[in-house]
Amino acid sequence: MSNFSLLITNWYRQNGRNLPWRQTTDPYLIWLSEIILQQTRVDQGMAYYEKFVRHYPTVKDLANAQEIDVLNDWQGLGYYSRARNLHFSAKFIQNELDGKFPQTFKEILGLKGVGKYTAAAIASFAFGEVQAVVDGNVYRVLSRVFDIDTPMDSTAGVKEFQKLADELISSEQPGEHNQAIMELGALICTPKPVCEDCPLTEMCLARAKQTITNRPVKSKKTKVRNRFFHFKVFSDQGKTLIEKRTEKGIWQNMFQFPLEEFDTNDNSAISSLRDNQSRESAEIIHVLSHQRIHTVFHHYPFLPEERKEHWIEIEHEKIQDYPLPRLVDRYLEENTID
Ligand code: SF4
Protein backbone atom coordinates (compact mmCIF):
# COMPACT_ATOMS: atom_id res chain seq x y z
CA MET A 1 0.00 0.00 0.00
CA SER A 2 1.39 3.43 -0.93
CA ASN A 3 2.22 5.88 1.84
CA PHE A 4 -0.43 8.16 0.35
CA SER A 5 -3.09 5.48 0.70
CA LEU A 6 -2.02 4.59 4.23
CA LEU A 7 -2.21 8.20 5.38
CA ILE A 8 -5.62 8.92 3.91
CA THR A 9 -7.25 5.65 5.00
CA ASN A 10 -5.98 6.08 8.58
CA TRP A 11 -7.34 9.60 8.59
CA TYR A 12 -10.65 8.40 7.09
CA ARG A 13 -11.16 5.72 9.75
CA GLN A 14 -11.07 8.40 12.40
CA ASN A 15 -12.72 11.29 10.59
CA GLY A 16 -15.01 9.95 7.86
CA ARG A 17 -18.69 10.79 8.18
CA ASN A 18 -21.04 8.02 9.12
CA LEU A 19 -23.32 8.17 6.08
CA PRO A 20 -26.05 5.54 5.51
CA TRP A 21 -24.82 4.42 2.10
CA ARG A 22 -21.41 3.71 3.62
CA GLN A 23 -22.96 1.08 5.91
CA THR A 24 -23.95 -1.20 3.06
CA THR A 25 -22.37 -3.21 0.27
CA ASP A 26 -25.67 -3.55 -1.60
CA PRO A 27 -24.79 -2.26 -5.10
CA TYR A 28 -28.35 -1.08 -5.69
CA LEU A 29 -28.30 1.19 -2.62
CA ILE A 30 -24.81 2.45 -3.44
CA TRP A 31 -25.92 3.20 -7.00
CA LEU A 32 -28.97 5.10 -5.67
CA SER A 33 -26.78 7.19 -3.39
CA GLU A 34 -24.23 7.92 -6.11
CA ILE A 35 -26.84 9.08 -8.59
CA ILE A 36 -28.58 11.23 -5.98
CA LEU A 37 -25.28 12.79 -4.94
CA GLN A 38 -24.26 13.78 -8.47
CA GLN A 39 -24.62 17.58 -8.47
CA THR A 40 -26.27 17.48 -5.02
CA ARG A 41 -24.83 18.22 -1.58
CA VAL A 42 -24.77 15.41 0.99
CA ASP A 43 -27.06 17.25 3.43
CA GLN A 44 -29.64 17.83 0.70
CA GLY A 45 -29.30 14.35 -0.80
CA MET A 46 -29.71 12.50 2.49
CA ALA A 47 -33.50 12.97 2.77
CA TYR A 48 -33.94 11.89 -0.86
CA TYR A 49 -31.80 8.81 -0.35
CA GLU A 50 -33.89 7.82 2.66
CA LYS A 51 -37.13 8.44 0.77
CA PHE A 52 -36.00 6.32 -2.20
CA VAL A 53 -34.85 3.48 0.06
CA ARG A 54 -38.25 3.60 1.79
CA HIS A 55 -40.32 3.75 -1.40
CA TYR A 56 -38.12 1.49 -3.53
CA PRO A 57 -36.13 -0.80 -1.21
CA THR A 58 -35.02 -3.07 -4.06
CA VAL A 59 -34.23 -2.69 -7.73
CA LYS A 60 -37.44 -4.62 -8.44
CA ASP A 61 -39.53 -2.05 -6.57
CA LEU A 62 -37.96 0.75 -8.58
CA ALA A 63 -38.42 -1.15 -11.85
CA ASN A 64 -42.11 -1.69 -11.08
CA ALA A 65 -42.77 1.94 -10.16
CA GLN A 66 -44.53 4.39 -12.48
CA GLU A 67 -42.24 7.04 -13.92
CA ILE A 68 -44.53 9.80 -12.68
CA ASP A 69 -44.08 8.58 -9.08
CA VAL A 70 -40.30 8.39 -9.43
CA LEU A 71 -40.20 11.92 -10.84
CA ASN A 72 -42.49 13.13 -8.06
CA ASP A 73 -40.16 11.64 -5.46
CA TRP A 74 -37.23 13.32 -7.19
CA GLN A 75 -38.94 16.70 -7.23
CA GLY A 76 -36.68 19.42 -5.81
CA LEU A 77 -33.39 17.70 -6.66
CA GLY A 78 -33.16 19.00 -10.23
CA TYR A 79 -31.38 17.35 -13.17
CA TYR A 80 -34.31 15.03 -13.70
CA SER A 81 -32.53 12.96 -16.33
CA ARG A 82 -30.86 11.29 -13.34
CA ALA A 83 -34.23 10.02 -12.09
CA ARG A 84 -35.29 8.90 -15.56
CA ASN A 85 -32.01 7.03 -16.06
CA LEU A 86 -32.32 5.39 -12.65
CA HIS A 87 -35.80 4.18 -13.50
CA PHE A 88 -34.79 3.06 -17.00
CA SER A 89 -31.78 1.14 -15.67
CA ALA A 90 -33.79 -0.48 -12.89
CA LYS A 91 -36.19 -1.84 -15.52
CA PHE A 92 -33.24 -2.99 -17.61
CA ILE A 93 -31.70 -4.84 -14.63
CA GLN A 94 -35.04 -6.37 -13.72
CA ASN A 95 -36.08 -7.41 -17.22
CA GLU A 96 -32.80 -8.10 -19.02
CA LEU A 97 -30.51 -9.21 -16.19
CA ASP A 98 -33.06 -11.20 -14.18
CA GLY A 99 -32.95 -8.61 -11.40
CA LYS A 100 -29.24 -9.18 -10.75
CA PHE A 101 -27.23 -5.97 -10.40
CA PRO A 102 -24.15 -6.01 -12.68
CA GLN A 103 -21.06 -6.95 -10.70
CA THR A 104 -18.05 -5.55 -12.53
CA PHE A 105 -16.85 -2.08 -13.43
CA LYS A 106 -17.28 -2.84 -17.12
CA GLU A 107 -20.83 -4.13 -16.75
CA ILE A 108 -21.87 -1.34 -14.40
CA LEU A 109 -20.55 1.19 -16.91
CA GLY A 110 -23.17 -0.17 -19.33
CA LEU A 111 -26.04 1.22 -17.23
CA LYS A 112 -27.64 4.36 -18.58
CA GLY A 113 -26.53 7.48 -16.71
CA VAL A 114 -23.46 5.77 -15.23
CA GLY A 115 -20.07 7.19 -16.15
CA LYS A 116 -16.59 6.06 -15.21
CA TYR A 117 -16.62 7.74 -11.82
CA THR A 118 -19.92 6.18 -10.71
CA ALA A 119 -19.00 2.75 -12.08
CA ALA A 120 -15.68 2.84 -10.21
CA ALA A 121 -17.41 3.93 -7.00
CA ILE A 122 -19.99 1.11 -7.14
CA ALA A 123 -17.48 -1.55 -8.25
CA SER A 124 -15.03 -0.67 -5.48
CA PHE A 125 -17.53 -0.04 -2.65
CA ALA A 126 -19.80 -3.01 -3.36
CA PHE A 127 -17.46 -5.58 -4.90
CA GLY A 128 -13.95 -4.52 -3.81
CA GLU A 129 -12.81 -4.14 -7.41
CA VAL A 130 -9.63 -2.11 -7.79
CA GLN A 131 -10.96 0.88 -9.74
CA ALA A 132 -9.85 4.36 -8.78
CA VAL A 133 -12.49 7.09 -8.66
CA VAL A 134 -11.70 10.53 -10.05
CA ASP A 135 -14.26 13.20 -9.25
CA GLY A 136 -13.97 16.91 -8.50
CA ASN A 137 -12.70 16.24 -4.98
CA VAL A 138 -10.05 13.82 -6.25
CA TYR A 139 -8.85 16.29 -8.91
CA ARG A 140 -8.40 18.90 -6.20
CA VAL A 141 -6.49 16.64 -3.82
CA LEU A 142 -4.19 15.12 -6.46
CA SER A 143 -3.47 18.40 -8.25
CA ARG A 144 -2.34 19.89 -4.95
CA VAL A 145 -0.44 16.99 -3.41
CA PHE A 146 1.50 16.43 -6.65
CA ASP A 147 1.35 20.07 -7.80
CA ILE A 148 -0.05 19.19 -11.22
CA ASP A 149 -0.71 22.10 -13.55
CA THR A 150 -2.18 20.14 -16.45
CA PRO A 151 -5.76 21.42 -16.87
CA MET A 152 -8.13 18.87 -15.34
CA ASP A 153 -10.68 19.38 -18.12
CA SER A 154 -8.21 18.69 -20.96
CA THR A 155 -7.82 15.27 -22.59
CA ALA A 156 -4.23 15.09 -21.33
CA GLY A 157 -5.35 16.09 -17.83
CA VAL A 158 -8.10 13.49 -17.64
CA LYS A 159 -5.58 10.80 -18.62
CA GLU A 160 -2.86 12.03 -16.29
CA PHE A 161 -5.10 12.24 -13.23
CA GLN A 162 -6.68 8.85 -13.90
CA LYS A 163 -3.24 7.25 -14.31
CA LEU A 164 -2.03 8.76 -11.07
CA ALA A 165 -5.18 7.70 -9.21
CA ASP A 166 -4.75 4.16 -10.60
CA GLU A 167 -1.17 4.06 -9.33
CA LEU A 168 -2.08 5.27 -5.86
CA ILE A 169 -5.12 3.12 -5.11
CA SER A 170 -4.73 0.41 -2.54
CA SER A 171 -5.22 -3.06 -4.00
CA GLU A 172 -6.16 -4.41 -0.55
CA GLN A 173 -8.81 -1.81 0.35
CA PRO A 174 -9.82 -0.08 -2.90
CA GLY A 175 -13.27 0.92 -1.63
CA GLU A 176 -11.96 2.48 1.54
CA HIS A 177 -9.16 4.22 -0.33
CA ASN A 178 -11.70 5.76 -2.73
CA GLN A 179 -13.96 6.86 0.12
CA ALA A 180 -10.97 8.34 1.91
CA ILE A 181 -9.65 10.47 -0.93
CA MET A 182 -13.12 11.82 -1.75
CA GLU A 183 -13.81 12.54 1.91
CA LEU A 184 -10.52 14.36 2.27
CA GLY A 185 -11.47 16.53 -0.71
CA ALA A 186 -14.94 17.13 0.73
CA LEU A 187 -13.89 17.99 4.29
CA ILE A 188 -10.25 19.15 4.33
CA CYS A 189 -8.79 19.82 0.90
CA THR A 190 -11.73 22.00 -0.03
CA PRO A 191 -11.50 25.10 -2.26
CA LYS A 192 -10.36 26.83 0.96
CA PRO A 193 -8.33 23.98 2.43
CA VAL A 194 -7.77 23.33 6.12
CA CYS A 195 -4.15 22.25 5.70
CA GLU A 196 -3.42 22.10 9.42
CA ASP A 197 -5.85 19.15 9.76
CA CYS A 198 -4.64 17.33 6.65
CA PRO A 199 -2.80 14.00 6.87
CA LEU A 200 -0.87 14.85 3.67
CA THR A 201 0.77 18.13 4.73
CA GLU A 202 4.26 16.62 4.74
CA MET A 203 4.03 15.34 1.19
CA CYS A 204 1.90 18.14 -0.32
CA LEU A 205 3.93 19.87 -3.04
CA ALA A 206 1.45 22.69 -3.64
CA ARG A 207 1.70 23.59 0.02
CA ALA A 208 5.49 23.62 -0.18
CA LYS A 209 5.47 25.68 -3.38
CA GLN A 210 2.56 27.89 -2.33
CA THR A 211 0.53 27.07 -5.41
CA ILE A 212 -2.54 25.76 -3.57
CA THR A 213 -4.90 28.49 -4.75
CA ASN A 214 -3.91 27.82 -8.39
CA ARG A 215 -4.69 24.10 -8.21
CA PRO A 216 -6.48 22.47 -9.90
CA VAL A 217 -6.05 24.26 -13.23
CA LYS A 218 -9.05 24.49 -15.55
CA SER A 219 -8.75 25.40 -19.23
CA LYS A 220 -12.27 26.03 -20.36
CA LYS A 221 -14.88 28.35 -19.17
CA THR A 222 -18.31 26.78 -19.28
CA LYS A 223 -20.44 28.39 -21.96
CA VAL A 224 -23.75 29.47 -20.53
CA ARG A 225 -26.88 29.56 -22.67
CA ASN A 226 -29.52 32.14 -21.84
CA ARG A 227 -33.12 31.01 -22.31
CA PHE A 228 -36.28 33.06 -21.85
CA PHE A 229 -39.30 31.16 -20.55
CA HIS A 230 -42.78 32.65 -20.38
CA PHE A 231 -45.32 30.48 -18.59
CA LYS A 232 -49.00 31.10 -19.15
CA VAL A 233 -50.98 30.57 -15.96
CA PHE A 234 -54.63 30.42 -16.99
CA SER A 235 -57.23 30.27 -14.26
CA ASP A 236 -61.00 30.12 -14.08
CA GLN A 237 -63.26 28.64 -11.41
CA GLY A 238 -60.47 26.70 -9.73
CA LYS A 239 -59.21 25.21 -13.01
CA THR A 240 -55.93 25.72 -14.81
CA LEU A 241 -53.99 24.28 -17.74
CA ILE A 242 -50.74 22.37 -17.73
CA GLU A 243 -48.67 20.50 -20.30
CA LYS A 244 -46.10 17.74 -20.26
CA ARG A 245 -42.58 18.44 -21.51
CA THR A 246 -41.92 15.68 -23.97
CA GLU A 247 -38.88 17.03 -25.80
CA LYS A 248 -35.38 15.99 -24.82
CA GLY A 249 -33.38 18.32 -22.60
CA ILE A 250 -34.22 19.78 -19.24
CA TRP A 251 -37.32 18.60 -17.36
CA GLN A 252 -38.30 15.91 -19.85
CA ASN A 253 -41.62 14.25 -18.89
CA MET A 254 -42.31 16.78 -16.16
CA PHE A 255 -45.31 19.10 -16.14
CA GLN A 256 -45.49 22.87 -16.38
CA PHE A 257 -47.85 25.68 -17.26
CA PRO A 258 -48.12 26.19 -21.05
CA LEU A 259 -44.79 27.60 -22.09
CA GLU A 260 -43.59 29.94 -24.76
CA GLU A 261 -39.85 30.15 -25.12
CA PHE A 262 -37.97 33.04 -26.71
CA ASP A 263 -34.30 33.52 -27.46
CA THR A 264 -34.37 37.15 -26.38
CA ASN A 265 -35.84 39.21 -23.58
CA ASP A 266 -36.67 41.97 -26.01
CA ASN A 267 -39.98 43.48 -24.88
CA SER A 268 -41.48 43.59 -28.35
CA ALA A 269 -41.02 39.85 -28.75
CA ILE A 270 -43.26 39.09 -25.82
CA SER A 271 -45.88 41.76 -26.36
CA SER A 272 -48.26 39.14 -27.80
CA LEU A 273 -48.42 37.53 -24.36
CA ARG A 274 -49.78 40.63 -22.73
CA ASP A 275 -53.36 41.81 -22.72
CA ASN A 276 -55.37 44.13 -20.53
CA GLN A 277 -56.51 41.29 -18.27
CA SER A 278 -53.10 39.73 -17.68
CA ARG A 279 -50.60 40.39 -14.96
CA GLU A 280 -47.07 39.09 -14.82
CA SER A 281 -44.47 38.19 -12.26
CA ALA A 282 -41.07 39.77 -11.98
CA GLU A 283 -38.34 37.92 -13.85
CA ILE A 284 -36.95 34.94 -11.98
CA ILE A 285 -33.52 33.65 -12.95
CA HIS A 286 -32.92 29.95 -12.48
CA VAL A 287 -29.30 28.89 -12.89
CA LEU A 288 -28.40 25.43 -14.13
CA SER A 289 -24.89 24.22 -14.88
CA HIS A 290 -24.93 25.36 -18.54
CA GLN A 291 -28.07 27.43 -18.71
CA ARG A 292 -29.63 30.52 -17.22
CA ILE A 293 -33.38 30.32 -17.42
CA HIS A 294 -35.02 33.75 -17.31
CA THR A 295 -38.64 33.18 -16.40
CA VAL A 296 -41.80 35.25 -16.25
CA PHE A 297 -45.20 33.86 -15.21
CA HIS A 298 -48.15 35.52 -17.00
CA HIS A 299 -51.45 35.15 -15.18
CA TYR A 300 -54.74 35.22 -17.09
CA PRO A 301 -58.11 35.18 -15.28
CA PHE A 302 -59.72 32.86 -17.85
CA LEU A 303 -59.22 29.59 -19.68
CA PRO A 304 -58.70 30.13 -23.42
CA GLU A 305 -61.16 28.71 -25.91
CA GLU A 306 -58.43 27.84 -28.34
CA ARG A 307 -56.13 25.30 -26.80
CA LYS A 308 -53.19 23.24 -27.90
CA GLU A 309 -53.97 19.56 -28.15
CA HIS A 310 -51.56 18.50 -25.43
CA TRP A 311 -52.78 20.96 -22.79
CA ILE A 312 -54.46 19.29 -19.84
CA GLU A 313 -57.19 20.96 -17.79
CA ILE A 314 -56.87 20.27 -14.06
CA GLU A 315 -58.10 21.60 -10.73
CA HIS A 316 -55.63 24.04 -9.14
CA GLU A 317 -55.25 21.90 -6.07
CA LYS A 318 -54.31 18.83 -8.13
CA ILE A 319 -51.19 20.43 -9.56
CA GLN A 320 -48.95 18.95 -6.88
CA ASP A 321 -49.94 15.46 -8.07
CA TYR A 322 -47.77 16.12 -11.11
CA PRO A 323 -43.96 16.23 -11.09
CA LEU A 324 -43.04 19.88 -11.52
CA PRO A 325 -39.67 21.49 -12.22
CA ARG A 326 -38.23 23.03 -9.06
CA LEU A 327 -38.58 26.47 -10.64
CA VAL A 328 -42.37 26.07 -11.01
CA ASP A 329 -42.75 24.41 -7.64
CA ARG A 330 -40.88 27.23 -5.91
CA TYR A 331 -43.02 29.82 -7.66
CA LEU A 332 -46.16 28.07 -6.41
CA GLU A 333 -44.83 28.05 -2.86
CA GLU A 334 -45.02 31.82 -2.90
CA ASN A 335 -47.82 32.57 -5.38
CA THR A 336 -51.31 31.34 -6.01
CA ILE A 337 -52.49 30.35 -9.46
CA ASP A 338 -55.29 32.88 -9.72
S1 SF4 B 1 -1.93 20.08 2.68
FE1 SF4 B 1 -3.60 21.44 2.18
S2 SF4 B 1 -3.55 21.66 -0.03
FE2 SF4 B 1 -2.29 19.91 0.49
S3 SF4 B 1 -3.64 18.17 0.28
FE3 SF4 B 1 -3.71 18.80 2.41
S4 SF4 B 1 -5.42 20.23 2.56
FE4 SF4 B 1 -4.92 19.97 0.39
Side-chain angles (χ1 to χ4, degrees):
M1 192 189 263
S2 66
N3 193 31
F4 177 95
S5 192
L6 204 61
L7 289 168
I8 60 167
T9 45
N10 280 340
W11 170 85
Y12 176 70
R13 282 178 199 158
Q14 288 167 21
N15 300 287
R17 289 166 294 179
N18 187 12
L19 301 170
W21 47 86
R22 290 184 176 159
Q23 316 308 323
T24 179
T25 52
D26 180 337
Y28 165 66
L29 298 181
I30 294 169
W31 174 53
L32 260 186
S33 72
E34 287 298 334
I35 301 296
I36 288 172
L37 292 176
Q38 287 169 3
Q39 291 141 325
T40 300
R41 293 188 321 274
V42 165
D43 53 345
Q44 193 199 1
M46 182 79 83
Y48 285 86
Y49 173 77
E50 284 166 352
K51 176 164 57 175
F52 268 75
V53 174
R54 240 184 3 259
H55 292 181
Y56 318 105
T58 65
V59 79
K60 187 174 174 190
D61 297 308
L62 183 57
N64 290 339
Q66 296 298 316
E67 186 180 69
I68 193 167
D69 294 328
V70 177
L71 290 175
N72 253 332
D73 283 339
W74 195 267
Q75 192 166 309
L77 264 184
Y79 302 99
Y80 290 89
S81 56
R82 292 183 291 167
R84 279 190 297 274
N85 288 340
L86 262 181
H87 189 225
F88 178 92
S89 295
K91 287 196 282 191
F92 172 77
I93 294 168
Q94 191 57 32
N95 301 332
E96 309 296 324
L97 308 178
D98 283 338
K100 192 163 175 252
F101 202 95
Q103 311 236 326
T104 64
F105 171 77
K106 235 179 147 180
E107 289 164 358
I108 299 167
L109 201 51
L111 297 177
K112 201 169 175 189
V114 168
K116 269 189 171 174
Y117 158 77
T118 307
I122 301 168
S124 64
F125 302 159
F127 303 111
E129 189 175 328
V130 185
Q131 290 290 342
V133 292
V134 182
D135 72 346
N137 287 325
V138 176
Y139 276 117
R140 201 162 49 248
V141 172
L142 294 183
S143 68
R144 288 171 173 174
V145 176
F146 297 93
D147 195 36
I148 299 169
D149 59 4
T150 317
M152 57 180 266
D153 52 352
S154 62
T155 313
V158 170
K159 269 195 193 152
E160 183 175 346
F161 281 97
Q162 185 69 55
K163 186 164 175 273
L164 180 58
D166 291 343
E167 283 163 13
L168 291 168
I169 192 169
S170 152
S171 51
E172 296 98 60
Q173 306 278 2
E176 194 177 33
H177 170 103
N178 280 339
Q179 295 278 21
I181 189 168
M182 289 195 289
E183 192 75 335
L184 191 74
L187 300 182
I188 303 290
C189 194
T190 54
K192 285 189 183 149
V194 195
C195 298
E196 52 280 15
D197 293 340
C198 177
L200 302 172
T201 34
E202 297 282 307
M203 64 187 298
C204 180
L205 295 179
R207 183 168 157 86
K209 296 184 185 174
Q210 301 190 339
T211 54
I212 293 174
T213 48
N214 301 325
R215 303 285 176 266
V217 173
K218 271 191 190 173
S219 60
K220 295 175 208 145
K221 279 215 166 140
T222 315
K223 260 205 179 160
V224 175
R225 175 182 171 203
N226 281 299
R227 302 177 74 177
F228 300 91
F229 281 12
H230 291 264
F231 287 117
K232 300 199 275 194
V233 186
F234 296 109
S235 171
D236 188 29
Q237 298 181 26
K239 302 263 178 66
T240 191
L241 299 173
I242 57 171
E243 64 185 6
K244 188 174 181 180
R245 285 182 75 88
T246 47
E247 69 269 34
K248 283 218 176 302
I250 59 165
W251 307 335
Q252 190 185 8
N253 294 350
M254 308 204 65
F255 291 79
Q256 63 188 11
F257 296 110
L259 172 70
E260 286 203 27
E261 181 174 353
F262 296 85
D263 50 15
T264 164
N265 60 354
D266 184 344
N267 247 333
S268 61
I270 59 161
S271 59
S272 64
L273 295 174
R274 295 180 170 134
D275 69 25
N276 52 13
Q277 295 188 74
S278 67
R279 66 179 171 86
E280 63 195 56
S281 71
E283 184 183 76
I284 299 163
I285 299 180
H286 188 67
V287 181
L288 301 171
S289 53
H290 298 93
Q291 301 186 30
R292 282 166 74 84
I293 315 273
H294 304 250
T295 305
V296 176
F297 290 84
H298 299 259
H299 289 254
Y300 305 91
F302 56 82
L303 298 181
E305 301 225 321
E306 262 183 45
R307 300 184 189 182
K308 299 242 167 87
E309 226 173 81
H310 62 282
W311 288 357
I312 310 165
E313 185 176 313
I314 61 160
E315 312 263 344
H316 292 174
E317 65 234 30
K318 291 275 189 304
I319 194 160
Q320 292 296 347
D321 293 351
Y322 295 84
L324 307 170
R326 182 77 189 117
L327 165 70
V328 176
D329 194 35
R330 231 183 242 160
Y331 183 74
L332 288 175
E333 280 168 16
E334 288 163 18
N335 299 275
T336 52
I337 292 177
D338 47 6

